[in-house]
């Protein structure tokens, strides 16, 4: 029996590439120069798309594959997949939730600490010789005992909150509604009010048309000149131009960012700022988690084409 044909939209690790290629006939779409010609010749034979959260799958691609059955996402985010087009064409969509939750929460805390306590600046101060020439590194601000706000209390937001309790922080959160929690965390529905009541604002909600630029100038003004934004969700959740304006004017204290509009090409205005921590979208970037993500992407593909329910459907 011939292998199921899968359209792969971006590279994976060598381990995951090998696993896919052993089970499926994989077309590496990202390496094909004349994509329209390829789709015209092979589109009708493609049964699945293997993609990533940052790459997604748009309406044009979905509609160019008339026998498409499944879009399997390597990642938890599915905002880059046109879910409406998928539904209209009876295409299932899966992602890889849960397996990356704790690693992303870990890096959110690491970013808060690194920026809040000047870790990268301190390293430069020591390595450059400024310690010997200029004396002690400038004072930073305390992290423990401060107020933390979590915008979006899903899996990742909750794990961020659990970690923050170890820093004796007062924790509040915003979500669609109050959660039934054993923890004594305050619910504040409005993002502006949430920002007024915290020193550190963690952005952890899923991206959608509804949440686009939910962190806007009003939220940044409410957070204030001593406040910090930490974003490990999606770039679209923050008005990036308003963020740059606020950081440059110092009306917002600082920002630690793992995601950007147009990444990996980031706005050059970020490069001139000393009140930012910039990370290359690697919140899930541990060996263990990436292997688990690859396993789950593969399991969704295998399950579907074996006639079984997919383990982690998006909808």
């Amino acid at each position: 029996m011939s292998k199921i044909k899968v359209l792969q939209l971006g590279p994976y690790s060598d381990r995951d590439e090998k696993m896919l290629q052993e089970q499926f006939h994989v077309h590496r779409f990202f390496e094909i120069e004349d994509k329209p010609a390829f789709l015209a010749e092979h589109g009708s034979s493609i049964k699945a798309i293997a993609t990533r959260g940052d790459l997604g799958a748009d309406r044009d691609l979905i509609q160019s594959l008339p026998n498409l059955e499944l879009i399997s996402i390597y990642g938890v985010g599915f905002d880059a997949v046109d879910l409406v087009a998928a539904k209209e064409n009876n295409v299932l969509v899966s992602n890889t939730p849960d397996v990356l939750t704790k690693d992303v929460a870990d890096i959110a805390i690491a970013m808060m600490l690194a920026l809040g306590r000047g870790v990268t600046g301190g390293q430069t101060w020591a390595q450059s010789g400024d310690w010997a020439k200029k004396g002690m590194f400038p004072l930073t601000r305390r992290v423990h005992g401060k107020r933390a706000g979590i915008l979006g209390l899903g899996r990742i937001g909750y794990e961020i909150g659990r970690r923050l309790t170890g820093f004796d922080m007062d924790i509040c959160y915003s979500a669609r509604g109050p959660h039934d929690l054993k923890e004594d965390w305050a619910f504040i529905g409005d993002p502006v009010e949430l920002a007024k009541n915290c020193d550190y604002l963690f952005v952890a909600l899923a991206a959608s048309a509804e949440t686009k630029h939910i962190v806007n100038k009003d939220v940044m003004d409410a957070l204030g000149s001593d406040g910090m934004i930490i974003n490990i969700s999606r770039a679209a959740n923050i008005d990036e131009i308003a963020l740059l304006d606020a950081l440059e004017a110092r009306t917002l204290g600082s920002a630690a960012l793992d995601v950007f509009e147009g990444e990996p090409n980031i706005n050059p205005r970020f490069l001139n700022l000393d009140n930012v921590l910039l990370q290359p979208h690697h919140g899930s970037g541990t060996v263990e988690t990436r292997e688990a993500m690859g396993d789950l992407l593969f399991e969704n593909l295998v399950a579907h084409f074996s006639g079984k329910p997919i383990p982690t459907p998006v909808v």
Side-chain angles (χ1 to χ4, degrees), residues 127-196:
Q127 286 183 328
S128 68
D130 281 347
W131 188 11
K133 295 173 186 176
K134 301 178 181 179
M136 297 301 293
F137 185 65
L139 296 178
T140 60
R141 287 191 175 272
R142 175 179 293 173
V143 173
H144 74 269
K146 294 297 183 72
R147 303 171 303 163
I150 305 170
L151 182 56
L153 201 71
R155 298 181 183 94
I156 294 172
Y158 178 73
E159 288 297 329
I160 290 171
R162 284 208 318 125
R163 284 153 177 75
L164 292 173
T165 59
F167 292 91
D168 298 322
M169 286 185 158
D170 290 327
I171 300 170
C172 53
Y173 70 94
S174 183
R176 292 182 181 276
H179 288 229
D180 184 15
L181 302 171
K182 62 178 181 292
E183 295 87 358
D184 187 22
W185 301 346
F187 170 74
I188 302 176
D190 179 63
V192 174
E193 288 301 314
L194 181 73
K196 287 179 180 178

Side-chain angles (χ1 to χ4, degrees), residues 73-118:
I73 306 169
Y74 177 90
V76 67
F78 50 82
D79 51 295
V81 173
D82 192 324
L83 296 180
V84 174
K87 185 175 181 179
E88 289 173 356
N89 290 274
N90 297 313
V91 176
L92 297 173
V93 180
S94 65
N95 64 347
T96 60
D98 295 327
V99 295
L100 51 74
T101 298
K102 293 185 178 182
D103 275 339
V104 176
D106 284 350
I107 205 166
I109 303 304
M111 289 164 67
M112 173 190 70
L113 290 170
L115 184 57
R117 292 304 310 272

